[in-house]
Amino acid sequence: MGGDCLGLGGSRGRHGNAPPPSFLPLPVRVLGLSGQGLQVLRRSGARTGPDGVSFRSTKDPTAVERANLLNMAKLSIKGLIESALSFGRTLDSDYPPLQQFFVVMEHCLKHGLKVRKSFLSYNKTIWGPLELVEKLYPEAEEIGASVRDLPGLKTPLGRARAWLRLALMQKKMADYLRCLIIQRDLLSEFYEYHALMMEEEGAVIVGLLVGLNVIDANLCVKGEDLDSQVGVIDFSMYLKNEEDIGNKERNVQIAAILDQKNYVEELNRQLNSTVSSLHSRVDSLEKSNTKLIEELAIAKNNIIKLQEENHQLRSENKLILMKTQQHLEVTKVDVETELQTYKHSRQGLDEMYNEARRQLRDESQLRQDVENELAVQVSMKHEIELAMKLLEKDIHEKQDTLIGLRQQLEEVKAINIEMYQKLQGSEDGLKEKNEIIARLEEKTNKITAAMRQLEQRLQQAEKAQMEAEDEDEKYLQECLSKSDSLQKQISQKEKQLVQLETDLKIEKEWRQTLQEDLQKEKDALSHLRNETQQIISLKKEFLNLQDENQQLKKIYHEQEQALQELGNKLSESKLKIEDIKEANKALQGLVWLKDKEATHCKLCEKEFSLSKRKHHCRNCGEIFCNACSDNELPLPSSPKPVRVCDSCHALLIQRCSSNLP
C-alpha cells in the first residue's frame, strides 16, 4: 500500500529474514482520520498535507512508531479512566475499552523486541522481560506463580497477557514496569536500543499507568483463551462522530442517574446500618434491664433473709423479757418471805429491794441499747450491700477501659518499635556507607601520591634522555672533527671502538626499557583516572542515599504525627443518639453534586485533572480535591470512617468537643 502510514507496528529487528509483525501500519486515508485523530498526529510530530494526509521524513521511523504508540497509550488510558468513572462499577473482561487497553500495552511491550532464532521457528514474545520483574520486585512472585499454575495457558504470549491482567487487578502494573524500566542493562538482552521500553516514551507510559489505580477490575483469567487472541487496535473507539457525541451525552445523563441511585443506595445502606446499630443498642438495654431485674430479685431475697433474722432477734428478745419477768416474780416471792421472816431487819431488806430495782432498770436499759444496736446494724448492712454493688459496677467499667487503653498502648508501642528498628537499620546503612567513603577517600589520596611520584619519575627520565642525546651529538661532532687525526691511529684504537660500541648497545637497551616503563606508567595513569571517576560516581550515590535518609526521616515524623492524630480521634469517637438523629435528618436533605458540574475544588479552587482527582464529601455532598478531603471520620449514618472535607471535619470535631462533659 502506498502513502504515509501511522507506523504503529512493532520493529522488525536487524535480521533480514524475520517474520512480519502481528500489527501492520495502516494508511491514513483508509482510517479516515479527522478532527481529533489529526490532532493526535500533529502532537506526535507528524506533518500533514493539504488533503489531511500525514507525511514524515524517512530518517527515523522508529521514533515515529514510538510517538504513535505513546499517543495511542494516552488515548486508551484516558478513555478507560473516563468510561470506568462514568460506568460506576467494577470492570470485567468483556468491557471493550479494557480489551483495547491490553492490546495497546501488548504492542508497546512488543516494540523493539529482539528476535531469537530456534531450530523450528522464531521466538518473539514479551514473557521474557516480564519474568525479570520477579527478581527485581519480590512482591511480583505471587503473580508469576499463579500465571504458571494456570492450566489453560500453553504459550509464553498467553502467560504475558494473563500477567498483565493480574497486575491490573492488583493495581501494581505501574510499580512493576517502573522497576523493569530502571534496569536498562538487563532490558538490553531482550530489546533493541531504539525500542520504546529503552527510551523516554516508556517512562511516560509508566507514569500514565499510575492513574489506573482508580479503577476496580474483576477479570476471570482462568477460563479465557489468551493464547489464540489476535491483538488489533480498534481506532473507531477513539474517533468522535455526531452520533458518538449524542451517545456520550446520554451516557453522561445515565451516569448522573446512576450516581444519584448509588447515592440513594448508600444513604439507604447507612440508614439501615444506623437502624441495626439502634436495634443492637436496644438489645443491649434489654439485657441490662434483665440483669437489673435479677439484681432486684437478689436484693429482695436478701431483704427477706434480713426480716427473718429480725424476727429471730425479736423472739429472742421476748424470751429474755419472759425470763426477766419470771426472775422478778421469784424475787418478789423471796422478798415477801424475807419480809415475813425478817421484819426486824427492814432497813437491810429495803436496801436489797432498792438494789433489785436498780438491777431491773439496768437490765431494761441494756435491752433498749441492744434493740437500738440491732436497728443500726441492719441499716448499716443495707448501706454496705448497696456500696458493694456500686463498687463492683465501677470496677468492671474501669477494667474495661483499662483493657482498651492497654491494647491501644501496645499497638502504639509496636508501631514505635517498628519505626525505631527502621531508623536503626537506616542509620547502620549510613554508617557503613560513610566508612566505605572514608576508605575510598584514603585510596584516592594514595593514588594521587602515587601519580605525583610517577610524574616525578617521568620528568627525571626525560631529563636523562635529553642529556644522553646531547652527549651523543657532542660525541659525533668530536668524532667528525677528529676523523682526520684518528685515521692514522685506527689500528691503535680499535679496541676502544669495540668498547664504545658495546657501551652504545647498553645505552640503547636502557632507552628501550625506559620507553616500556613510560608506557606502563601511562597505563597506570589511565587506570587511576578511571578509579577517580568511579569514586566521583560513588560520592554521587552517597549524596542520593543522604537525600533518601532525609526523606525517610520526614516520613517517620509524618507517621508519628498521624499516630498522634489517630489517638486524638480515638478519644473523640462516641456521639449521642440525638446527634445521630439530627445528622440523619440533615443527610436526608442533602444533594449529591454531579461530577460534570464541578471543575474546580471548592476550598482551594484548583482545577481538576488526571493527577488531581475528584472526591465527594460524605457529609455535605460537595466535590473536593484529595488534599482538601483527606480526612476520615465515623459519621452518625455510618459506623465506619468515611471521607470528609476539611470544613466538615472541623465542624464535626467542634460538635464532639461540645457534647463531651
Side-chain angles (χ1 to χ4, degrees), residues 401-548:
T401 53
L402 280 169
I403 289 163
L405 290 169
R406 282 174 183 171
Q407 289 177 356
Q408 291 178 3
L409 280 169
E410 287 175 357
E411 291 175 356
V412 171
K413 284 179 181 178
I415 293 164
N416 287 326
I417 288 163
E418 289 178 359
M419 298 302 294
Y420 183 70
Q421 289 176 356
K422 289 181 181 177
L423 265 176
Q424 283 184 348
S426 61
E427 287 176 357
D428 294 333
L430 277 172
K431 287 179 181 178
E432 290 177 358
K433 288 173 182 176
N434 287 323
E435 290 176 357
I436 291 165
I437 288 164
R439 291 173 186 172
L440 291 170
E441 286 178 353
E442 289 178 358
K443 286 183 180 179
T444 52
N445 293 324
K446 291 178 181 179
I447 288 162
T448 51
M451 287 174 69
R452 288 174 184 173
Q453 290 178 1
L454 290 170
E455 286 177 356
Q456 290 176 1
R457 289 180 183 177
L458 276 170
Q459 290 176 1
Q460 291 176 1
E462 286 177 356
K463 287 179 180 179
Q465 189 175 2
M466 292 293 289
E467 289 176 357
E469 287 177 355
D470 293 333
E471 288 178 357
D472 290 336
E473 288 178 358
K474 288 178 181 179
Y475 182 71
L476 289 170
Q477 287 177 1
E478 288 177 358
C479 289
L480 289 170
S481 61
K482 293 179 180 180
S483 60
D484 295 332
S485 61
L486 288 171
Q487 285 178 359
K488 296 178 181 179
Q489 298 176 358
I490 287 169
S491 59
Q492 294 177 359
K493 294 184 178 180
E494 283 180 354
K495 295 179 181 179
Q496 294 178 358
L497 284 170
V498 171
Q499 290 177 357
L500 289 168
E501 284 176 357
T502 54
D503 293 333
L504 284 170
K505 287 179 181 179
I506 291 164
E507 286 179 358
K508 285 179 181 179
E509 290 176 356
W510 184 62
R511 285 179 185 175
Q512 288 178 357
T513 54
L514 284 173
Q515 287 178 356
E516 289 176 356
D517 292 333
L518 282 170
Q519 287 180 356
K520 289 179 181 178
E521 288 174 354
K522 286 179 181 178
D523 294 333
L525 280 170
S526 64
H527 182 67
L528 291 170
R529 286 173 183 171
N530 292 325
E531 286 184 352
T532 53
Q533 289 178 357
Q534 290 177 359
I535 290 162
I536 291 164
S537 64
L538 286 170
K539 285 183 179 178
K540 290 180 180 177
E541 288 179 357
F542 175 69
L543 292 171
N544 293 324
L545 289 169
Q546 284 182 346
D547 295 332
E548 289 178 358

Side-chain angles (χ1 to χ4, degrees), residues 57-328:
S57 60
T58 59
K59 290 182 180 179
D60 194 2
T62 56
V64 178
E65 291 176 358
R66 289 196 302 270
N68 290 334
L69 284 171
L70 177 61
N71 291 322
M72 286 308 301
K74 287 180 181 177
L75 287 172
S76 64
I77 292 167
K78 184 180 178 182
L80 181 59
I81 292 169
E82 290 177 353
S83 62
L85 292 174
S86 63
F87 200 45
R89 62 184 181 86
T90 56
L91 306 179
D92 53 3
S93 57
D94 296 330
Y95 193 53
L98 188 61
Q99 292 176 354
Q100 288 299 312
F101 166 72
F102 286 126
V103 172
V104 172
M105 284 303 298
E106 185 178 341
H107 283 289
C108 291
L109 291 170
K110 280 183 180 178
H111 184 264
L113 267 176
K114 290 182 180 180
V115 180
R116 296 184 178 181
K117 291 183 179 180
S118 63
F119 291 104
L120 298 174
S121 62
Y122 294 97
N123 186 8
K124 187 177 181 180
T125 59
I126 57 175
W127 177 240
L130 291 179
E131 279 185 322
L132 284 174
V133 180
E134 297 179 15
K135 299 178 182 177
L136 301 174
Y137 204 85
E139 293 182 4
E141 292 179 357
E142 295 179 1
I143 292 181
S146 59
V147 168
R148 293 187 191 92
D149 293 336
L150 288 173
L153 298 177
K154 297 179 181 178
T155 61
L157 184 59
R159 294 190 189 96
R161 289 169 176 169
W163 189 91
L164 289 173
R165 282 157 175 78
L166 291 174
L168 181 65
M169 282 194 286
Q170 281 191 351
K171 297 183 181 181
K172 289 186 178 180
M173 186 185 288
D175 298 333
Y176 294 157
L177 293 179
R178 187 182 291 111
C179 293
L180 192 62
I181 285 172
I182 291 169
Q183 303 293 331
R184 292 191 178 179
D185 53 350
L186 296 175
L187 280 177
S188 61
E189 297 178 1
F190 300 96
Y191 288 100
E192 298 288 346
Y193 68 95
H194 56 77
L196 185 138
M197 296 295 287
M198 301 289 288
E199 296 292 336
E200 295 179 356
E201 287 84 353
V204 175
I205 290 171
V206 171
L208 292 171
L209 289 174
V210 178
L212 295 178
N213 294 334
V214 185
I215 297 169
D216 294 327
N218 188 6
L219 307 176
C220 184
V221 185
K222 197 169 184 180
E224 193 173 357
D225 187 10
L226 298 174
D227 294 328
S228 61
Q229 287 183 1
V230 179
V232 179
I233 299 173
D234 187 8
F235 291 95
S236 62
M237 294 179 68
Y238 309 108
L239 303 177
K240 291 184 178 180
N241 296 324
E242 294 179 357
E243 295 178 357
D244 295 334
I245 294 166
N247 292 324
K248 190 174 182 181
E249 291 178 354
R250 291 175 187 170
N251 291 327
V252 170
Q253 293 176 358
I254 291 164
I257 292 164
L258 286 171
D259 289 335
Q260 291 177 358
K261 182 184 175 184
N262 291 326
Y263 179 64
V264 171
E265 287 177 353
E266 189 174 357
L267 277 176
N268 191 8
R269 183 180 60 77
Q270 291 174 357
L271 291 171
N272 288 325
S273 64
T274 54
V275 169
S276 63
S277 64
L278 289 171
H279 281 303
S280 63
R281 287 183 182 177
V282 168
D283 294 332
S284 64
L285 289 171
E286 287 178 353
K287 290 178 181 178
S288 62
N289 193 5
T290 54
K291 288 180 180 178
L292 289 171
I293 290 164
E294 291 175 356
E295 289 176 356
L296 278 171
I298 293 163
K300 285 179 180 178
N301 294 323
N302 291 324
I303 289 164
I304 290 163
K305 289 179 181 178
L306 290 170
Q307 286 177 356
E308 290 176 354
E309 290 177 357
N310 195 2
H311 285 300
Q312 289 177 359
L313 290 169
R314 283 180 180 177
S315 62
E316 288 176 357
N317 195 3
K318 286 178 181 179
L319 290 170
I320 291 163
L321 287 170
M322 291 291 288
K323 288 179 180 179
T324 53
Q325 286 176 359
Q326 289 176 0
H327 185 67
L328 284 169

Side-chain angles (χ1 to χ4, degrees), residues 317 361-377:
N317 195 3
R361 287 175 185 175
D362 293 333
E363 287 178 356
S364 62
Q365 287 178 358
L366 286 170
R367 185 171 61 79
Q368 288 178 358
D369 293 333
V370 168
E371 288 178 354
N372 292 325
E373 285 178 359
L374 281 171
V376 170
Q377 285 179 359

